[in-house]
Amino acid sequence: MTTHSPAGGVAGPVREVRLDRYPGAEGVTERDFAVFPVTAPASPGPGEALVALRRLGMNAGLASRIGGPDTAYGPGVRLGDVPGSDAVVEVVASRDPALRPGDLAVGKVPWRTRSVLPASALRKLPPDAADLGLESFLTVLGHVGFTAWTGLVRVGRVREGETVFVSGAAGGVGSCAVQFARARGARVIGSAGSARKLALLTGVLGAEAAFDHHEGPAADALRAAAPGGIDLFFDNVGGEQLEAALEVLRFRGRAVLCGAASQYARREVRGPANYVRMIYQELTVRGFTVTAHEELRPAFEEEVGALVRDGVVRGVHTTAEGFDAVPAAFAGTLAGRGLGRTIVSVD
Ligand SMILES: NC(=O)c1ccc[n+]([C@@H]2O[C@H](COP(=O)([O-])OP(=O)(O)OC[C@H]3O[C@@H](n4cnc5c(N)ncnc54)[C@H](OP(=O)(O)O)[C@@H]3O)[C@@H](O)[C@H]2O)c1
């Protein structure tokens, strides 16, 4: 076994974040999690690698698994559990020929500063990873980018000239979906929760119009932005905005259900009251789970890798510094505090 000491603070005592209490009526807060010191992980066995956390991505969807059932994304999170999400890690020691000490890799890892993982759970980053920025592999080129591309391009079949509405458009998945739709020649309308996010959408990411879902009925704002209706809806939040899209979709329009962030903290999930629009308008409404589409990853990496290298699309992220910031960063993702994806930097 070969070993390596990564630069930076990752070499300190090992710590992990655990669910410390179930969220109360106010929804998920940073106080629901706590950071604990733990003994250093054992040396890796055959086919395993010891890795140090470098960048940890926050996923809103994890909230739906707290105290809940196992899903395709991972097990339900119970008291004392260490959640996991996609991260860039640095290999410290390896007993697998595919990974060498010092390599950077991406994979779904526990919220712990160092872990022993099967090498098969990690994908080595390309040689120009540092030039592209490590965060790119947690945004446009990572899990959220793959989710946006799969939903928009393969499930939603976005076409040039169409009008596309993206809800939660300034978040991790949403900021990718907006740019991918633009790159395919669509006209994009985005919704988000603050003036800063609206400025990102129309000023930087190329959306033609954007509205704040806190300011008045979403259906009115959407109709004003798209008087002729929308062709495709990419939904990250559900609830009122899903109802608004069903009202404004054109005859035979399509809706792709990616997530339902507005529903994760609710005891009773609210379905669309106007679902009969699906009948009258002959709408196609399709949900998808990105983990069921792994065979699309090479096509995604080829297309989006070229868009990133050509400067057509860019990763959008907000950085939180240091492992102790994980609980607040996760709660902040749900509260919509960051622009793009929230990423904890552990250098
Ligand atoms: N289908 C799949 O395979 C798959 C894979 C990954 C993620 N997802 C889903 O994709 C969605 C986006 O994930 P993400 O990690 O990129 O999160 P995110 O969009 O960065 O964060 C969630 C956003 O949802 C918005 N939101 C939260 N509560 C809301 C409410 N009550 N009403 C309206 N908007 C609300 C907030 O944005 P504002 O501040 O703008 O309101 C918040 O920033 C999530 O629903 C996630 O579960 C699906």
Side-chain angles (χ1 to χ4, degrees):
M1 181 176 73
T2 43
T3 58
H4 160 81
S5 295
V10 290
V14 180
R15 285 168 300 146
E16 67 184 22
V17 172
R18 297 181 200 154
L19 181 67
D20 203 37
R21 67 174 197 191
Y22 285 118
E26 75 277 31
V28 177
T29 69
E30 64 177 284
R31 295 181 303 283
D32 301 328
F33 297 88
V35 180
F36 292 88
V38 289
T39 50
S43 299
E48 292 181 333
L50 170 65
V51 299
L53 200 57
R54 295 285 304 273
R55 304 281 187 281
L56 179 65
M58 297 288 106
N59 287 339
L62 176 71
S64 67
R65 288 192 280 118
I66 295 176
D70 298 353
T71 73
Y73 301 106
V77 181
R78 319 235 168 256
L79 285 186
D81 284 355
V82 179
S85 52
D86 54 319
V88 173
V89 295
E90 185 171 345
V91 177
V92 178
S94 172
R95 289 190 62 195
D96 186 281
L99 291 173
R100 291 166 37 156
D103 281 349
L104 293 170
V106 69
K108 189 172 169 191
V109 309
W111 288 359
R112 186 181 296 122
T113 54
R114 286 184 181 220
S115 301
V116 170
L117 300 170
S120 58
L122 298 168
R123 285 180 301 114
K124 207 162 126 172
L125 297 191
D128 63 348
D131 296 338
L132 293 170
L134 299 191
E135 289 77 9
S136 302
F137 296 91
L138 299 179
T139 54
V140 270
L141 292 169
H143 174 69
V144 297
F146 185 40
T147 300
W149 186 87
T150 300
L152 194 76
V153 175
R154 292 304 179 100
V155 180
R157 298 187 180 280
V158 63
R159 289 189 289 268
E160 188 173 354
E162 287 191 323
T163 298
V164 178
F165 169 41
V166 178
S167 64
V173 174
S175 60
C176 297
V178 169
Q179 295 184 82
F180 298 162
R182 287 286 304 121
R184 291 241 163 186
R187 173 180 174 257
V188 181
I189 297 159
S191 67
S194 70
R196 207 168 136 239
K197 292 184 175 183
L198 301 191
L200 170 81
L201 290 170
T202 53
V204 181
L205 301 185
E208 188 175 296
F211 67 87
D212 187 331
H213 60 87
H214 299 112
E215 292 177 0
D220 293 351
L222 188 55
R223 237 186 243 107
I230 58 172
D231 301 291
L232 176 62
F233 175 41
F234 185 97
D235 191 17
N236 287 306
V237 301
E240 190 208 346
Q241 295 192 62
L242 172 56
E243 284 176 355
L246 293 179
E247 283 301 316
V248 180
L249 273 162
R250 289 188 179 128
F251 188 69
R252 296 202 177 134
R254 292 109 62 210
V256 175
L257 305 189
C258 173
S262 71
Q263 304 298 305
Y264 295 155
R266 294 169 74 103
R267 289 234 167 80
E268 282 179 34
V269 172
R270 169 183 160 187
N274 59 346
Y275 82 95
V276 290
R277 295 281 300 174
M278 298 179 204
I279 303 168
Y280 305 143
Q281 291 291 85
E282 292 200 1
L283 304 178
T284 301
V285 180
R286 256 193 82 180
F288 79 102
T289 290
V290 73
T291 48
H293 298 272
E294 196 52 40
E295 79 287 354
L296 298 178
R297 194 179 286 277
F300 155 73
E301 285 179 345
E302 189 181 331
E303 178 178 328
V304 177
L307 291 173
V308 173
R309 288 179 176 91
D310 291 347
V312 177
V313 302
R314 44 176 281 182
V316 180
H317 69 274
T318 299
T319 302
E321 292 294 342
F323 189 72
D324 288 344
V326 171
F330 179 61
T333 296
L334 299 169
R337 281 199 276 275
L339 285 184
R341 189 155 198 212
T342 299
I343 294 175
V344 179
S345 174
V346 192
D347 283 329

